[in-house]
Amino acid sequence: MNVVLSETDAMRRALGLALQGPRSGVNPQVGCVILSPAGELLAEGWHHGAGTPHAEIEALTRLAEQGGSAEGATAVVTLEPCNHHGRTGPCSLALIEAGIARVVYAVADPGVRSAGGGERMREAGVRVEHGLEAPAVEEAIRPWLTSVRLGRPFVTVKWASSLDGRAAAADGSSRWITGPEARADVHLRRSEADVIAVGTGTVLADDPALTARAATGDDTTGSSTPAGTGTDAGTHTDTPDTLYPHQPAPVVIGERPVPAGSRLHAHPLPLRHFPTHDLHAVLDELYRDEVRSVFVEGGPRLASAFVAAGLADEVLVYLAPTLIGGPRLAVTDLGITRIDDQRRLDIHHLDRLGQDLRIIARLRDEATPGSAESSAPSKE
């Protein structure tokens, strides 16, 4: 029996498909579901990564392989079909040529070159609506949308601390503040980022590997706060079976040189060192090199600098139920002298990982252009 879907259910299905694609990289996660005029599921697809067919193309290809036709059908897509020639052709044109009669998408494409697919299809006689399930899609692909809208990578600033805000004991030791569940989560999140960034102080103090490693059951596989400033120093040697398939490229920010014997030189990807304190310049260059997400992991000075500069799109904190005291704070000077100037955040997620808490928060005054699309479909 054929599966019949409402357009809302089709959009939710398309979003689930989209999230099967890679979270990292220059391309967004996109899903597409094609429905017959009666609402029957004809075909579906999602984007598998740079250089592969876009979601709409994959869905159309699968439909053709099944001997079906898109004539008169409706395409339900999480993101506005693109309107430019990149590694692949414009999806808006492919939908038009396939005979699609109606397109429903959730969120407009914010790209300067890729936007305009909705208008192109409307001019060709396709009925176009947007906004269906927009809040859910916005949240799901928020890093990519934010990056393209702002013209710089999406920045996650991460730290781990005790309940009293310490990232290490007075002697600099911090192995381990958080438990294995939190440490495993850090590595998973590393594997979803394009770049992992630390300061030169962290490199000199910790000699981190900055790889994303799957949990193997022992504490040498990774950490959220090993010795020094809160990255992953230790004696662990990466092997192919412990590394996640996708690795974040290592980036070091700061004027001091990276020692020739640093473990960063053994990272699977080339090390990039920016001998500067100009974070805007660093992000600009990374964005030009198609970096869309940066995971800032160490140390307190670099994390604080990103927050103070207003460049932290998301703050990721692992809070351990322990007290340490002393001077080793997880966050240093933010340039705040009056209580009225404090940086207030909204907590978007609060989870328990073992004995630790994971907090995901965003600056309350954050304003991402174009993020307030209506959740109700609108005709173009």
Side-chain angles (χ1 to χ4, degrees), residues 77-80 105-109 131 134 137-138 141 145 149 373:
V77 194
T78 54
L79 186 69
E80 178 185 13
Y105 65 85
V107 179
D109 189 330
V137 174
E138 282 273 352
I141 61 171
L145 289 170
R149 287 166 178 163
E373 288 205 51

Side-chain angles (χ1 to χ4, degrees), residues 179-200:
E181 296 89 349
R183 299 196 294 272
D185 190 68
V186 170
H187 281 269
L188 175 62
R189 290 172 182 274
R190 285 184 182 184
S191 73
E192 296 175 340
D194 294 337
V195 158
I196 181 169
V198 296
T200 50

Side-chain angles (χ1 to χ4, degrees), residues 198-250:
V198 296
T200 50
T202 293
V203 174
L204 296 173
D206 293 349
D207 189 23
L210 299 189
T211 48
R213 302 185 291 274
T216 60
D218 67 82
D219 278 349
T220 62
T221 59
S223 80
S224 55
T225 54
T229 56
T231 52
D232 60 353
T235 58
H236 176 78
T237 300
D238 292 331
T239 57
D241 60 333
T242 65
L243 293 175
Y244 275 105
H246 175 265
Q247 291 293 310

Side-chain angles (χ1 to χ4, degrees), residues 162-173 177 322-329:
S162 60
L163 285 179
D164 55 350
R166 267 61 183 183
D171 66 354
S173 62
I177 291 178
T322 186
L323 301 173
I324 298 175
R328 300 277 184 161
L329 294 171

Side-chain angles (χ1 to χ4, degrees), residues 342-377:
Q342 62 187 293
R343 300 293 181 93
R344 292 195 177 274
L345 298 91
D346 286 323
I347 294 178
H348 281 254
H349 296 284
L350 177 61
D351 308 287
R352 184 165 178 169
L353 299 176
Q355 291 298 308
D356 306 315
L357 293 179
R358 179 183 60 194
I359 302 170
I360 300 176
R362 299 168 190 167
L363 291 177
R364 187 170 297 177
D365 60 355
E366 177 186 74
T368 301
S371 62
E373 288 205 51
S374 169
S375 59

Side-chain angles (χ1 to χ4, degrees), residues 23-55:
R23 187 173 177 84
S24 60
V26 70
N27 294 110
Q29 295 169 297
V30 181
C32 175
V33 170
I34 298 178
L35 301 177
S36 74
E40 296 173 325
L41 174 62
L42 298 179
E44 57 191 20
W46 71 91
H47 186 50
H48 295 257
T52 65
H54 288 190

